[in-house]
Amino acid sequence: KAGVTQTPRYLIKTRGQQVTLSCSPISGHRSVSWYQQTPGQGLQFLFEYFSETQRNKGNFPGRFSGRQFSNSRSEMNVSTLELGDSALYLCASSLAQGSSYNEQFFGPGTRLTVL
Amino acid sequence: KQEVTQIPAALSVPEGENLVLNCSFTDSAIYNLQWFRQDPGKGLTSLLLIQSSQREQTSGRLNASLDKSSGRSTLYIAASQPGDSATYLCAVKVRENTGFQKLVFGTGTRLLVSP
């Protein structure tokens, strides 16, 4: 069974540009969550999608957005990039949203560098 | 607001030693606790998931315990090997005021096992 996949693995952008990251969950998983990981702040929750609807959102500015498609694949978009957006962006999938028994499985991440 | 702390931040041991990693959380109202391993520049690999009603979980040389009332979890690694070198993260699943759940991550323990 294939794991969570994320594309691209590496990205270099300049300030002011926008970027779209993609995540394909494990087959059969319907919940997708996104996290940002930086050396200073650690792992922080961005948002969660389930059945094409955003179910929860972390404390990030509106420049960070996402969506989920009917096949459960998800994309996140960051507009007007800032230097501080440089980070490893991780996607995680689980079977369903809202169950305490759900284990989250993570992808390899997308390393975004903003110059 | 839930806060998760991991001590020590870094640990260096010779091969073969048994070791304990600690995780503390401030709010005992959690659904579960998950231990992850992260290799440099990579995504997270789930090691163990402990439900809030459980006291411990075991997988191979790994044993994780949970004491929800005191807000503590420990990850015990037996007979450590150089391949165990990685950063270990714990995360608790909490319910927010919105009714939705999310993972709150600790700061991580960087482990180095020397041959």
Side-chain angles (χ1 to χ4, degrees):
Chain A
K1 197 173 191 182
V4 179
T5 58
Q6 292 186 246
T7 56
R9 294 294 313 279
Y10 303 92
L11 267 177
I12 299 176
K13 293 286 187 179
T14 57
R15 280 181 298 175
Q17 287 187 310
Q18 75 167 22
V19 67
T20 299
L21 312 181
S22 179
C23 171
S24 293
I26 292 172
S27 178
H29 285 194
R30 297 175 61 193
S31 176
V32 174
S33 299
W34 289 89
Y35 296 84
Q36 181 196 64
Q37 186 177 32
T38 59
Q41 299 296 319
L43 265 157
Q44 292 188 293
F45 172 77
L46 278 159
F47 27 65
E48 179 183 10
Y49 286 86
F50 179 75
S51 293
E52 302 178 64
T53 302
Q54 185 181 94
R55 297 299 177 121
N56 200 4
K57 181 173 168 58
N59 189 25
F60 278 82
R63 300 184 297 105
F64 291 82
S65 63
R67 59 177 175 169
Q68 186 180 34
F69 302 95
S70 58
N71 61 359
S72 295
R73 189 177 71 85
S74 176
E75 289 181 348
M76 68 163 280
N77 184 277
V78 188
S79 62
T80 319
L81 284 166
E82 301 177 0
L83 294 178
D85 297 333
S86 295
L88 180 66
Y89 290 88
L90 293 163
C91 163
S93 76
S94 60
L95 274 173
Q97 194 273 347
S99 169
S100 63
Y101 294 97
N102 284 336
E103 186 173 0
Q104 290 207 341
F105 297 88
F106 282 76
T110 294
R111 171 73 62 184
L112 172 64
T113 301
V114 182
L115 302 176
Chain B
K1 178 187 171 186
Q2 178 76 261
E3 292 184 1
V4 183
T5 305
Q6 292 185 245
I7 295 174
L11 183 62
S12 182
V13 300
E15 181 178 6
E17 272 203 10
N18 302 324
L19 54 99
V20 174
L21 308 182
N22 297 293
C23 172
S24 304
F25 46 95
T26 55
D27 188 342
S28 62
I30 65 170
Y31 286 99
N32 61 44
L33 185 145
Q34 204 167 345
W35 281 94
F36 295 90
R37 165 192 174 132
Q38 186 175 31
D39 293 287
K42 302 290 180 63
L44 277 63
T45 300
S46 179
L47 297 173
L48 290 164
L49 172 69
I50 311 177
Q51 301 298 341
S52 62
S53 59
Q54 297 176 320
R55 298 284 294 183
E56 65 177 332
Q57 282 286 342
T58 298
S59 175
R61 294 182 295 108
L62 305 179
N63 175 277
S65 67
L66 174 64
D67 184 344
K68 206 172 69 163
S69 61
S70 68
R72 293 180 183 178
S73 176
T74 60
L75 178 66
Y76 175 82
I77 303 177
S80 58
Q81 303 170 358
D84 294 330
S85 298
T87 296
Y88 290 80
L89 294 150
C90 70
V92 294
K93 179 172 279 190
V94 301
R95 179 174 177 152
E96 300 196 290
N97 292 336
T98 57
F100 294 111
Q101 299 173 9
K102 73 173 188 181
L103 283 179
V104 178
F105 280 86
T107 46
T109 293
R110 185 178 300 176
L111 173 65
L112 176 63
V113 181
S114 305

